Amino acid sequence: MDALNRKPADHSGDLGSEHDGDPTTRPTVPPARPESDAGARRAPAATPAGRDADVIVVGAGPTGLLLAGDLADAGIAVTLLERRDDTTSNLSRALAVHARSLEQLDARGLADELIAGGHRLPGLQVFGDGMLPAGRLHSRFPFVLITPQYEVERLLLRRARQAGVTFRYGAEVQGLTQDADGVTVRFRAAGGGAGEAAGDVGSLRAGYVVGTDGARSSVRAAIGLPFPGKAVVRSVVLADVRLDRAPDSPFAVRAARDAFALVGSFGDGWYRVLGWNRHAQAPDDAPACLDEVREVTRLSFGTDFGMRDARWISRFHSDERQAPAYRVGRVFVAGDAAHVHSPAGGQGMNVGLQDAANLSWKLAAVVRGHSPDRLLDSYQEERHPVGTAVLRSSGALIRLALLRGAPARALRRLGGQLLTCLPSLSRRAIGGVSGIDVAYPAGPGAHRLVGRRAPDLRLAGGGRLYELLRQGRFVLVTPAGEIPQEALREAATDRVVTACWASERRTALLVRPDGYVAWATDATAPGERATALRSALVRWTGAGSDPTDASPTSAPSTPSTSSAPSTSSAPAAARSAGRSARR
């Protein structure tokens, strides 16, 4: 299906046979990062006068933590504002970590530690009898990892702190203004800091701001960015409980005529239960009780598994919403601040992590002066369609769960059986849900691999591509003995790391820091290949060029919104961006 995931008849173009190891085996812990790599973290550049940081990130969930950690690791001065204090747990709903997110975490040296504390499922169960087998994924992680979101946050928080992110907890954003030179964020302090009292209003200034502050994003509201959509299901109950009897699977989903429920294991004796009952609809602020959770579980599974000892119960409604633009001037939104959808498929946290991985290296390149500001427009071009696709797929799954009547439920069962029995259909479905098949637009005449995810390629000397990506740089992969030294001498050594195929592949490719192919060629003549590479390095890394003239975007099909509007024009810019996104 995917040019990256097929074994080719020759070695000229596809990469499918190059993923690491036997997908049926447990991934081994990679070797410790050598001292040469450990010193690869960029030295922080001086923050321009009048700014407190290069980038302000608002929201310390998984999206914000990954983004802030990436930027700080690249030598960017980052301040992260979080409304909670540093002792309050970020109670969350996410349980599933999909293959593409694990690949991104692997590129940051975190995946194996996370996997060690979770459950690996062979696939994703959908309503009815359907199972999407993850074992068909060409990835080092051919499974769905069940682990609580706070474990993902724990690892990302540790990494962000080690990288030097400045944290400001108890800081609630009140508004922002932006101009041609930067963004000023106003926030109310909760108190507790040095010389700081509760209710004090402070401000910070940076070159860029990224709102990763959830569905009720203060950043999105401050720039007048609409969030159109609607509620899909209301009065969903959520609880962490203990069970006397464990379900057959650590992640089980069932739907009945008027209810559905999900039961997921944390692995430590606690379970997360999510359920909806058509006949027990209440406002979000109405208290939920354990008996209500038991009832919806019995309706869906025929048993409540001896549910007891709830440590947390909540009620919420599930929306489908998406901002029409992910960028307004110098301000960006990512994760739930940019898109929300039903929990079906467990895609929410995962899509946010991918947003962060896409944006972080671009912001770093622009802030460091390697690339022009218009590179940042490609974040909208590449990630907005992904958000739209997730809204559609998760919406389809939740609507299947809401079907009423015997014929409709029979159709749901048939659909589940088809997903399980037809390999091509199930592979396509799990490829989309897992993020493995996500690809970005490529310009006219580009090599067929450009814009596609790079698998974890085997490299000469026993290394892996995603180990090299831990340096946060572009990776140039060439045939053995054919690294074009002359072209590379013109490139900045802190932007590109080189490697050779472990196999006899002849394709040369340049992989972006987020693991997608930026450039590739099948040319065999050394001069032709070197010339093409030199052009690609200038385009993508800015090496040897004036960053105000470079053009690194792959297919700039959306109008630029890079000129930062003033405070009064920010809502107008948001509306204009929204119209552009809808065209």
Side-chain angles (χ1 to χ4, degrees):
M1 269 180 95
D2 187 334
L4 288 170
N5 291 323
R6 282 199 311 251
K7 185 172 182 178
D10 57 45
H11 295 308
S12 63
D14 300 334
L15 309 178
S17 62
E18 299 294 338
H19 62 83
D20 184 75
D22 180 351
T24 65
T25 62
R26 182 182 181 90
T28 56
V29 177
R33 190 161 76 168
E35 289 300 319
S36 59
D37 285 354
R41 180 176 296 147
R42 322 306 199 274
T47 303
R51 293 182 185 174
D52 301 288
D54 295 318
V55 179
I56 293 172
V57 178
V58 181
T63 303
L65 290 170
L66 188 144
L67 176 67
D70 282 2
L71 291 170
D73 210 34
I76 306 302
V78 185
T79 295
L80 197 154
L81 302 180
E82 169 56 48
R83 182 174 57 184
R84 294 176 290 121
D85 62 47
D86 61 356
T87 63
T88 302
S89 172
N90 187 19
L91 294 174
S92 57
R93 305 164 191 164
L95 275 177
V97 184
H98 288 297
R100 186 57 183 153
S101 294
L102 289 171
E103 289 180 344
Q104 293 291 2
L105 293 172
D106 187 26
R108 291 152 180 84
L110 303 174
D112 290 297
E113 184 176 352
L114 185 68
I115 292 167
H119 288 292
R120 298 192 305 162
L121 298 186
L124 183 70
Q125 184 180 356
V126 295
F127 298 111
D129 299 323
M131 173 67 73
L132 303 181
R136 292 174 179 161
L137 294 172
H138 290 271
S139 171
R140 185 170 179 253
F141 309 103
F143 51 83
V144 179
L145 181 69
I146 301 303
T147 191
Q149 181 174 315
Y150 57 71
E151 286 297 321
V152 179
E153 291 183 1
R154 178 181 63 84
L155 298 180
L156 292 173
L157 175 61
R158 183 185 69 195
R159 173 177 178 260
R161 284 177 170 161
Q162 291 173 346
V165 173
T166 298
F167 284 83
R168 292 290 300 266
Y169 286 97
E172 184 174 359
V173 170
Q174 301 294 295
L176 61 82
T177 57
Q178 59 174 318
D179 52 46
D181 298 317
V183 189
T184 300
V185 178
R186 300 185 307 280
F187 62 92
R188 180 191 296 129
E196 184 181 88
D200 283 355
V201 176
S203 66
L204 293 171
R205 185 165 174 81
Y208 296 92
V209 169
V210 185
T212 62
D213 49 341
R216 297 182 178 88
S217 171
S218 298
V219 171
R220 191 185 62 240
I223 57 177
L225 192 57
F227 204 40
K230 61 183 180 180
V232 185
V233 289
R234 299 187 181 277
S235 196
V236 180
V237 291
L238 192 68
D240 288 353
V241 299
R242 290 192 182 276
L243 304 178
D244 290 335
R245 299 178 302 281
D248 294 336
S249 167
F251 188 83
V253 182
R254 290 288 186 275
R257 172 175 174 153
D258 292 311
F260 64 79
L262 174 155
V263 180
S265 171
F266 288 118
D268 59 358
W270 289 96
Y271 290 80
R272 168 68 49 82
V273 179
L274 178 151
W276 175 82
N277 182 349
R278 192 187 304 273
H279 301 297
Q281 298 293 291
D284 287 352
D285 57 359
C289 66
L290 185 57
D291 284 342
E292 185 177 357
V293 183
R294 288 189 181 113
E295 175 65 14
V296 71
T297 308
R298 283 194 294 265
L299 286 171
S300 303
F301 284 89
T303 177
D304 63 11
F305 303 104
M307 191 179 300
R308 56 183 170 82
D309 300 339
R311 64 181 176 182
W312 177 54
I313 303 178
S314 181
R315 188 190 308 276
F316 71 97
H317 67 271
S318 179
D319 285 359
E320 288 179 342
R321 298 183 183 276
Q322 185 179 27
Y326 289 2
R327 180 187 189 187
V328 175
R330 291 177 171 268
V331 182
F332 302 81
V333 290
D336 285 355
H339 44 75
V340 293
H341 45 81
S342 88
Q347 299 174 81
M349 176 183 67
N350 294 273
V351 181
L353 291 171
Q354 301 308 312
D355 289 346
N358 183 283
L359 180 58
S360 63
W361 70 270
K362 297 173 182 178
L363 267 174
V366 172
V367 170
R368 292 177 67 86
H370 298 166
S371 298
D373 181 87
R374 64 178 173 270
L375 170 63
L376 299 174
D377 288 336
S378 67
Y379 170 61
Q380 161 80 18
E381 174 196 349
E382 293 180 346
R383 294 305 300 171
H384 194 275
V386 175
T388 301
V390 171
L391 258 71
R392 289 172 179 166
S393 63
S394 63
L397 286 173
I398 201 69
R399 285 168 176 80
L400 279 174
L402 299 178
L403 289 175
R404 301 186 71 181
R409 286 182 283 125
L411 182 62
R412 181 174 64 202
R413 285 193 297 272
L414 176 60
Q417 292 166 0
L418 289 175
L419 279 175
T420 303
C421 298
L422 297 179
S424 60
L425 183 60
S426 62
R427 171 59 185 81
R428 181 175 179 180
I430 192 63
V433 170
S434 67
I436 290 295
D437 286 352
V438 167
Y440 298 140
H447 192 282
R448 66 179 177 275
L449 296 180
V450 171
R452 295 174 181 254
R453 155 196 166 268
D456 195 10
L457 309 175
R458 292 179 182 273
L459 303 175
R464 300 187 291 111
L465 172 64
Y466 281 72
E467 289 175 325
L468 284 185
L469 286 174
R470 293 173 189 177
Q471 298 185 33
R473 307 175 185 181
F474 284 82
V475 177
L476 175 65
V477 183
T478 66
E482 295 188 19
I483 296 177
Q485 299 294 345
E486 182 178 348
L488 287 170
R489 275 195 293 271
E490 301 174 12
T493 56
D494 66 341
R495 306 181 202 180
V496 182
V497 61
T498 61
C500 294
W501 294 98
S503 66
E504 297 181 358
R505 296 274 185 173
R506 307 307 301 166
T507 302
L509 62 150
L510 185 67
V511 180
R512 303 178 350 178
D514 60 352
Y516 289 84
V517 178
W519 166 88
T521 183
D522 295 321
T524 56
E528 181 182 354
R529 181 175 295 202
T531 298
L533 173 61
R534 188 178 295 110
S535 176
L537 290 173
V538 169
R539 181 182 187 189
W540 283 99
T541 74
S545 71
D546 180 349
T548 61
D549 295 331
S551 179
T553 54
S554 57
S557 59
T558 55
S560 173
T561 58
S562 60
S563 57
S566 66
T567 307
S568 60
S569 64
R575 291 192 297 271
S576 175
R579 287 193 296 269
S580 297
R582 287 190 293 270
R583 281 200 291 266

